[in-house]
Coordinates of all heavy atoms in Angstrom, one line a residue:
I1 N 57.4 -50.2 68.2 CA 56.9 -50.8 69.5 C 55.4 -50.4 69.6 O 54.6 -51.2 70.0 CB 57.7 -50.3 70.7 CG1 59.1 -50.9 70.6 CG2 57.0 -50.8 72.0 CD1 59.3 -52.4 70.5
L2 N 55.1 -49.1 69.4 CA 53.7 -48.7 69.5 C 52.8 -49.4 68.5 O 51.7 -49.8 68.9 CB 53.6 -47.2 69.3 CG 54.0 -46.3 70.5 CD1 54.0 -44.8 70.1 CD2 53.1 -46.5 71.7
A3 N 53.2 -49.5 67.3 CA 52.4 -50.2 66.3 C 52.2 -51.7 66.7 O 51.0 -52.2 66.6 CB 53.1 -50.2 64.9
K4 N 53.2 -52.4 67.2 CA 53.0 -53.8 67.6 C 52.1 -53.9 68.8 O 51.3 -54.8 68.9 CB 54.4 -54.4 67.9 CG 55.3 -54.6 66.7 CD 56.6 -55.3 67.0 CE 57.3 -55.7 65.8 NZ 58.3 -56.7 66.0
T5 N 52.2 -52.9 69.7 CA 51.3 -52.9 70.9 C 49.9 -52.7 70.5 O 49.0 -53.4 71.0 CB 51.8 -51.9 71.9 OG1 53.1 -52.1 72.3 CG2 50.9 -51.8 73.1
I6 N 49.6 -51.8 69.7 CA 48.3 -51.4 69.2 C 47.7 -52.6 68.4 O 46.5 -53.0 68.6 CB 48.2 -50.1 68.5 CG1 48.5 -49.0 69.4 CG2 46.9 -49.9 67.8 CD1 48.8 -47.7 68.8
I7 N 48.5 -53.2 67.6 CA 48.0 -54.4 66.8 C 47.6 -55.5 67.7 O 46.6 -56.1 67.5 CB 49.1 -54.8 65.7 CG1 49.1 -53.7 64.6 CG2 48.7 -56.2 65.2 CD1 50.3 -53.9 63.7
K8 N 48.4 -55.7 68.7 CA 48.1 -56.8 69.7 C 46.8 -56.5 70.4 O 46.0 -57.4 70.5 CB 49.3 -57.0 70.6 CG 49.0 -58.2 71.6 CD 50.2 -58.5 72.4 CE 49.8 -59.7 73.3 NZ 50.9 -60.3 73.9
R9 N 46.7 -55.3 70.9 CA 45.5 -54.9 71.6 C 44.2 -54.9 70.8 O 43.2 -55.3 71.2 CB 45.7 -53.6 72.3 CG 46.6 -53.6 73.5 CD 46.7 -52.3 74.1 NE 47.7 -52.4 75.2 CZ 48.1 -51.4 75.9 NH1 47.6 -50.1 75.7 NH2 49.0 -51.5 76.9
T10 N 44.4 -54.5 69.5 CA 43.2 -54.3 68.7 C 42.8 -55.6 68.0 O 41.6 -56.0 68.0 CB 43.5 -53.3 67.6 OG1 43.9 -52.0 68.2 CG2 42.3 -53.0 66.7
F11 N 43.8 -56.4 67.5 CA 43.5 -57.6 66.7 C 43.8 -58.9 67.5 O 43.6 -60.0 66.9 CB 44.2 -57.5 65.4 CG 43.8 -56.4 64.5 CD1 44.6 -55.3 64.4 CD2 42.6 -56.4 63.8 CE1 44.3 -54.2 63.6 CE2 42.3 -55.4 63.0 CZ 43.1 -54.2 62.9
G12 N 44.5 -58.8 68.6 CA 44.9 -60.0 69.4 C 46.0 -60.8 68.7 O 46.2 -62.0 69.0
I13 N 46.8 -60.1 67.9 CA 47.9 -60.7 67.1 C 49.2 -60.5 67.9 O 49.6 -59.3 68.1 CB 48.0 -60.2 65.7 CG1 46.8 -60.5 64.9 CG2 49.2 -60.8 65.0 CD1 46.7 -59.8 63.6
D14 N 49.9 -61.5 68.3 CA 51.2 -61.4 69.0 C 52.3 -61.0 67.9 O 52.7 -61.9 67.2 CB 51.5 -62.6 69.7 CG 52.8 -62.5 70.6 OD1 53.3 -61.3 70.7 OD2 53.3 -63.5 71.1
T15 N 52.7 -59.8 67.9 CA 53.7 -59.3 67.0 C 55.1 -59.2 67.6 O 56.0 -58.6 67.0 CB 53.3 -58.0 66.4 OG1 53.1 -57.0 67.4 CG2 52.0 -58.1 65.6
K16 N 55.2 -59.7 68.8 CA 56.5 -59.5 69.5 C 57.7 -59.9 68.7 O 58.6 -59.1 68.6 CB 56.4 -60.4 70.8 CG 57.6 -60.3 71.7 CD 57.5 -61.1 72.9 CE 58.7 -61.1 73.8 NZ 58.5 -61.9 75.0
M17 N 57.8 -61.0 68.1 CA 58.9 -61.4 67.3 C 58.7 -61.4 65.8 O 59.5 -61.9 65.0 CB 59.4 -62.8 67.8 CG 59.9 -62.8 69.2 SD 61.0 -61.5 69.7 CE 62.5 -61.9 68.9
Q18 N 57.6 -60.8 65.4 CA 57.2 -60.8 64.0 C 57.7 -59.5 63.3 O 57.6 -58.4 63.9 CB 55.7 -60.8 63.9 CG 55.2 -61.8 62.9 CD 53.7 -61.8 62.9 OE1 53.1 -61.0 62.2 NE2 53.1 -62.8 63.6
E19 N 58.3 -59.6 62.2 CA 58.8 -58.5 61.4 C 57.7 -58.0 60.5 O 57.0 -58.8 59.9 CB 60.1 -58.8 60.6 CG 61.3 -59.0 61.5 CD 62.6 -58.9 60.8 OE1 62.7 -58.0 60.0 OE2 63.4 -59.8 61.0
F20 N 57.6 -56.7 60.3 CA 56.7 -56.1 59.4 C 57.4 -56.3 58.0 O 58.6 -56.2 57.9 CB 56.5 -54.6 59.6 CG 55.8 -54.3 60.9 CD1 56.1 -53.3 61.7 CD2 54.7 -55.1 61.3 CE1 55.4 -53.0 62.9 CE2 54.0 -54.8 62.5 CZ 54.4 -53.8 63.3
A21 N 56.6 -56.5 57.0 CA 57.1 -56.4 55.6 C 56.7 -55.0 55.1 O 55.9 -54.3 55.7 CB 56.5 -57.5 54.8
Y22 N 57.3 -54.6 54.0 CA 57.0 -53.3 53.4 C 56.6 -53.4 52.0 O 57.3 -54.1 51.2 CB 58.2 -52.4 53.6 CG 58.5 -52.1 55.1 CD1 59.3 -53.0 55.8 CD2 57.9 -51.1 55.8 CE1 59.5 -52.8 57.2 CE2 58.1 -50.9 57.1 CZ 58.9 -51.7 57.8 OH 59.1 -51.5 59.2
S23 N 55.6 -52.7 51.6 CA 55.1 -52.6 50.2 C 56.1 -51.8 49.4 O 57.1 -51.2 49.9 CB 53.7 -51.9 50.1 OG 53.9 -50.5 50.3
E24 N 55.9 -51.8 48.1 CA 56.9 -51.1 47.2 C 56.9 -49.6 47.5 O 57.8 -48.9 47.2 CB 56.5 -51.3 45.7 CG 55.1 -50.8 45.4 CD 54.7 -51.1 43.9 OE1 54.7 -52.3 43.6 OE2 54.5 -50.1 43.2
H25 N 55.8 -49.1 48.2 CA 55.8 -47.7 48.6 C 56.2 -47.5 50.0 O 56.1 -46.4 50.5 CB 54.4 -47.1 48.3 CG 54.0 -47.2 46.9 ND1 54.6 -46.4 45.9 CD2 53.0 -48.0 46.3 CE1 54.0 -46.7 44.8 NE2 53.1 -47.7 45.0
G26 N 56.7 -48.5 50.7 CA 57.2 -48.4 52.0 C 56.2 -48.5 53.1 O 56.5 -48.4 54.3
K27 N 54.9 -48.9 52.8 CA 53.9 -49.1 53.8 C 54.1 -50.4 54.5 O 54.1 -51.4 53.8 CB 52.5 -49.0 53.2 CG 51.4 -49.0 54.2 CD 50.1 -48.7 53.6 CE 49.0 -48.8 54.7 NZ 47.7 -48.4 54.3

């Protein structure tokens, strides 16, 4: 929730219903 909130505030991207994907190293 914090990551999504900060991304929205910093980049203006609505991440409310967006899922994060993960790299092969889990990032």
Side-chain angles (χ1 to χ4, degrees):
I1 297 300
L2 284 174
K4 287 183 174 200
T5 300
I6 291 167
I7 289 168
K8 181 171 183 168
R9 288 183 182 174
T10 304
F11 298 102
I13 299 169
D14 185 9
T15 59
K16 183 176 175 181
M17 298 311 290
Q18 228 178 82
E19 287 197 47
F20 295 141
Y22 294 88
S23 72
E24 62 184 59
H25 299 292
K27 185 172 179 174

